[in-house]
Amino acid sequence: MEACRTSCAALPSYSSVRPHVIAGAARCGIVQSINHDRDLERREEALKRWAKRQAAVEPALSWFELAAAACGFAPYPLLALAAEPVCKESDITETLQTYFPFVSLVLLMLDSYADQGEDAASGNHNYISHYADIDAAIRRTCAIIEQMTRKARGLRNGHRHVTILACMVAMHLSTDSIRSPDLRASTRELTNAGGPLTRLLLPVIRAWRTGYLKRRSPSLQLQTKRETRAVLPPGSRLPAPVQTWMIWKSPLNHLARSRHRYGECFTVNITSRSPLVFICDPEEIRTVLTAPPEVLHPGEGAITVEPLVGKRSFMLLDEAAHLDGRRTILPPLRANAMPRNVQTVREVAQREIASWPQDAPFALHPRLRALTLQTALRTVLCASGSTNDQRLTELHQKLLSMLSVTGSAVFSEPLLRHGPGRRIWRRFLHERAEVDELLYDIIRQRDRSGDANSVLDDLLNARNADGSAMSPTQVRDNFMSIVLAGHETTAAQLAWAFQLLAHHPTALDKLIKEIDTNAGEEYLIATIREVLRHRPVFLFAIPRVVKQPIEIGGWTYGPPAHLLACTYLLHHDPKLYPEPHRFRPERFLEAPPVTEAWRPWGGGRKRCPGLHLATLEMKTVLRTVLATMTVRPAAKSIENPRWRSVIVTPASGSRVVFRSRSRGSGELC
């Protein structure tokens, strides 16, 4: 400290800037001391009183912005002026008015933005939280960044100040804590506000951060590794891009190898999210799925599908907001509401299946997507078939085209939406706008008294927790959530069902015999359960974002980790399922599934609300197809899995061969 004072005093013009340096340091000290008060109400009142006395500094700033600017005060630009032989008072004034409050405020807000997860977990004061919501905080911070840049450009040697500030903004935005998907859009807005140089520097500084540890001393590297092991379970040390490629290329093998090497919980680092912790133990999975919503946020973990379902979807909400949204959409999806959908599902299945080719290999999954989407639309929009067929056909075609984006890596990896992937993403945005226009038109013109049995009518007549009607945006987002969940996942699960049955003729013959003899549906249900166990389309439940520290299985997890209950590894645990890699529906005839060991529908507050509709579709399609046809494989082995959005589907589209047969004989025609 004494060396610092001596060095400053030796600067040629330090006497000119000294009063301003001392005043800024005093303001910073006062506000920092108030911030350390753990009593929230007392702290806020003290900051408001202090800011009221400072209001003349910049009347346009709110009380917490003034406090933030004081916290972020740094004397370096004033000391740079003091290093010059002659220091004009006008230069001091202009520099001070630029750096305090604007530069100081920007740097403190960016610090708060980067630390919001950690501060929420530890209870520390975070200035971002004072805005109405994160969107308002980002808009305001962007405006202040732009104002800061304009003022800096007007200073003497302004280009130097602008360059330094662009570097500082890029440095703050390069931290690992803000690289999660839910913050990517807002980080992009802040980067754009910083200007072209910030956009250019950001990837460079991120690359520098990645390689920084390699240049640190061996002792510090060892300390960092020990700290990492103390925070997260073991995992591969390969770079995140390599791990991303491995889990994308061969997800089942990669997960199985990781459990074999690292145990029942392991960490995977990928490019698009914070560290992913895969958990396989049944009891630990139950703890994850039933954890309090303020501790683990599953809504944030589902952020990948936001471009499709929208921000107001119940799927992306957490805590009370999620439960309110779930209660709104749940009644028409309960088991007791399924009888009204039976005829609709059967009619759609019979019509679509009649167009399938026979005696030649073809990719079944695209046909199943068209079938399940048609079923979902008729179930949601017109259970009695009264909705105009032309508009329904148009919506069906537009949705199929729009949803094709889920087959591209561009959808799940935002980094690919630039460069070559930009064309794919732009086409998706254009098609989404067309779907929204048509859907909002249907919502506006819906005759509520005409078809009182449809899910859309239930959504239109539903009320929020405060008694208000759902907005058109809420109706649209929840509609898209139901359609997406009832379309993509069911089609993929049926594609796996036909793949497995085609390659297991003994199980297929038993199922056909049950259908032909009208012997009930015991083996049909057992087959569906075994398909869901053997080839779950969700390899893991919705990721839970850690918001507060939680202890599970001897590990204490904190932000920004994501916890994943690994459904696939749970279903293939030999301690729970003997011969886990063998397709054998009989296992579910011998004993019903145990909840802790069979979780194809997730669990806890995020348990799939559409499970009854999906089960109805699977039973109806399998029974309708196998009543008149049999299925044979088009290749020697079952297809490998391929990612489609957040689910896995057969890599070649589930290529099979259908052949007609005589009902009752099981023989081919």
Side-chain angles (χ1 to χ4, degrees):
M1 182 69 73
E2 187 59 37
C4 181
R5 290 195 186 97
T6 303
S7 298
C8 289
L11 295 173
S13 300
Y14 180 68
S15 59
S16 300
V17 303
R18 182 174 181 275
H20 304 290
V21 172
I22 292 176
R27 284 193 300 267
C28 181
I30 292 171
V31 174
Q32 288 284 20
S33 65
I34 296 174
N35 281 337
H36 284 87
D37 190 338
R38 306 297 290 186
D39 188 308
L40 299 182
E41 292 185 6
R42 187 169 59 208
R43 180 174 66 199
E44 186 167 312
E45 286 303 316
L47 287 175
K48 286 180 178 179
R49 287 195 300 271
W50 176 87
K52 188 175 182 180
R53 296 193 297 269
Q54 305 292 320
V57 173
E58 183 61 41
L61 298 183
S62 63
W63 65 268
F64 62 86
E65 289 174 337
L66 282 170
C71 279
F73 174 78
Y76 310 120
L78 295 177
L79 295 177
L81 290 176
E84 298 180 4
V86 178
C87 181
K88 296 180 180 179
E89 188 62 33
S90 59
D91 288 338
I92 296 175
T93 302
E94 291 176 0
T95 301
L96 189 62
Q97 289 176 348
T98 299
Y99 279 82
F100 180 81
F102 298 105
V103 175
S104 301
L105 177 55
V106 166
L107 299 183
L108 203 288
M109 284 302 179
L110 292 178
D111 264 337
S112 296
Y113 175 69
D115 296 341
Q116 54 187 309
E118 182 180 342
D119 289 343
S122 62
N124 289 337
H125 187 207
N126 188 286
Y127 284 100
I128 285 287
S129 64
H130 288 290
Y131 290 104
D133 52 47
I134 189 63
D135 291 337
I138 298 305
R139 288 194 301 270
R140 178 61 172 161
T141 305
C142 286
I144 298 171
I145 290 174
E146 292 167 356
Q147 190 169 1
M148 168 193 78
T149 304
R150 286 194 299 270
K151 283 186 167 290
R153 194 174 287 117
L155 296 175
R156 183 163 61 89
N157 296 320
H159 63 284
R160 297 181 184 176
H161 290 274
V162 170
T163 300
I164 292 171
L165 295 177
C167 292
M168 295 175 74
V169 172
M171 181 64 77
H172 278 77
L173 295 178
S174 68
T175 57
D176 291 339
S177 61
I178 58 176
R179 297 185 68 177
S180 58
D182 50 318
L183 294 179
R184 188 172 288 113
S186 52
T187 299
R188 189 181 303 115
E189 290 183 50
L190 294 168
T191 303
N192 290 335
L197 185 56
T198 299
R199 292 195 293 271
L200 178 65
L201 288 170
L202 185 56
V204 176
I205 296 177
R206 281 177 175 169
W208 172 81
R209 282 187 184 275
T210 301
Y212 177 61
L213 285 178
K214 297 179 181 179
R215 298 193 297 271
R216 299 175 71 181
S217 66
S219 61
L220 287 178
Q221 288 186 37
L222 179 61
Q223 178 184 352
T224 301
K225 291 176 182 177
R226 287 172 177 168
E227 290 171 354
T228 301
R229 284 198 295 268
V231 174
L232 295 177
S236 173
R237 297 182 181 181
L238 292 172
V242 176
Q243 294 189 49
T244 303
W245 182 84
M246 292 173 67
I247 202 167
W248 177 267
K249 183 68 175 177
S250 184
L252 304 189
N253 290 335
H254 184 63
L255 291 175
R257 285 195 301 267
S258 296
R259 179 169 67 176
H260 177 74
R261 182 171 183 179
Y262 302 112
E264 292 299 297
C265 58
F266 53 88
T267 302
V268 173
N269 290 293
I270 62 175
T271 56
S272 60
R273 285 183 182 267
S274 298
L276 305 178
V277 178
F278 286 80
I279 296 175
C280 314
D281 178 79
E283 283 301 313
E284 294 178 16
I285 285 177
R286 184 182 63 81
T287 302
V288 171
L289 298 180
T290 59
E294 66 273 11
V295 176
L296 299 182
H297 274 195
E300 289 186 41
I303 198 69
T304 300
V305 298
E306 183 189 306
L308 290 175
V309 301
K311 293 183 178 181
R312 301 298 302 277
S313 164
F314 71 94
M315 295 172 63
L316 304 185
L317 302 177
D318 283 299
E319 303 185 36
H322 168 69
L323 291 179
D324 291 340
R326 188 181 177 89
R327 292 190 192 101
T328 299
I329 61 93
L330 198 56
L333 298 176
R334 294 186 188 278
N336 58 13
M338 287 303 104
R340 75 183 189 185
N341 297 321
V342 172
Q343 186 61 27
T344 300
V345 175
R346 185 183 297 118
E347 290 176 356
V348 172
Q350 290 173 342
R351 183 170 58 252
E352 293 293 325
I353 291 167
S355 67
W356 292 0
Q358 295 186 25
D359 302 318
F362 75 102
L364 180 59
H365 184 236
R367 306 291 185 116
L368 289 169
R369 288 184 60 236
L371 187 158
T372 57
L373 180 58
Q374 186 72 250
T375 300
L377 289 178
R378 288 206 173 272
T379 301
V380 175
L381 289 177
C382 52
S384 64
S386 63
T387 291
N388 184 285
D389 283 339
Q390 183 177 353
R391 300 184 73 195
L392 193 64
T393 300
E394 183 183 2
L395 182 59
H396 180 264
Q397 293 172 345
K398 289 182 179 296
L399 276 169
L400 270 181
S401 180
M402 181 194 79
L403 291 170
S404 65
V405 73
T406 59
S408 169
V410 170
F411 181 75
S412 53
E413 181 49 76
L415 292 175
L416 299 178
R417 296 171 191 172
H418 310 283
R422 186 178 180 86
R423 180 178 58 83
I424 297 174
W425 192 247
R426 280 189 164 184
R427 185 180 67 221
F428 161 70
L429 295 178
H430 175 72
E431 291 173 342
R432 185 182 65 180
E434 290 185 338
V435 168
D436 286 352
E437 182 180 0
L438 180 57
L439 187 54
Y440 280 126
D441 188 47
I442 292 174
I443 293 172
R444 284 193 301 268
Q445 297 183 19
R446 184 72 171 186
D447 182 4
R448 300 189 184 185
S449 63
D451 183 7
N453 290 323
S454 76
V455 177
L456 179 59
D457 286 294
D458 292 330
L459 292 175
L460 288 169
N461 294 324
R463 290 291 181 270
N464 293 309
D466 60 1
S468 62
M470 291 179 66
S471 68
T473 301
Q474 283 179 285
V475 174
R476 179 268 178 207
D477 290 358
N478 285 326
F479 168 89
M480 285 299 302
S481 302
I482 297 171
V483 168
L484 181 66
H487 154 57
E488 288 278 13
T489 56
T490 309
Q493 205 67 75
L494 280 167
W496 284 119
F498 283 109
Q499 271 284 297
L500 290 167
L501 288 170
H503 285 272
H504 294 85
T506 302
L508 175 63
D509 290 344
K510 289 181 180 180
L511 181 54
I512 287 177
K513 182 179 180 180
E514 181 182 80
I515 293 171
D516 284 354
T517 58
N518 295 318
E521 54 181 27
E522 186 179 19
Y523 199 82
L524 174 61
I525 292 174
T527 299
I528 291 173
R529 286 173 172 172
E530 178 68 347
V531 170
L532 292 168
R533 181 202 69 83
H534 191 66
R535 278 292 186 270
V537 296
F538 287 105
L539 300 185
F540 41 81
I542 296 173
R544 267 59 174 175
V545 179
V546 180
K547 307 304 289 186
Q548 298 179 24
I550 182 173
E551 193 276 329
I552 301 175
W555 294 91
T556 299
Y557 302 105
H562 289 50
L563 306 185
L564 284 70
C566 191
T567 307
Y568 175 76
L569 293 179
L570 174 72
H571 288 181
H572 289 77
D573 187 339
K575 298 190 296 294
L576 303 173
Y577 296 100
E579 299 180 285
H581 294 282
R582 181 183 173 193
F583 179 73
R584 195 173 70 86
E586 288 76 11
R587 73 175 79 239
F588 289 109
L589 295 177
E590 298 160 1
V594 179
T595 301
E596 286 72 18
W598 189 73
R599 294 189 179 273
W601 311 110
R605 293 172 178 81
K606 287 289 183 175
R607 187 168 184 258
C608 176
L611 66 94
H612 300 296
L613 180 59
T615 302
L616 172 64
E617 287 187 87
M618 291 187 70
K619 290 195 300 184
T620 303
V621 171
L622 287 171
R623 187 186 288 113
T624 303
V625 171
L626 298 178
T628 59
M629 292 186 286
T630 189
V631 60
R632 293 290 184 262
K636 293 182 179 180
S637 59
I638 295 175
E639 294 175 20
N640 291 323
R642 177 175 68 93
W643 286 101
R644 185 178 182 91
S645 178
V646 293
I647 63 176
V648 290
T649 62
S652 299
S654 189
R655 290 180 58 80
V656 293
V657 179
F658 284 107
R659 294 176 181 170
S660 297
R661 67 178 186 85
S662 299
R663 182 177 175 87
S665 67
E667 297 178 354
L668 301 181
C669 289

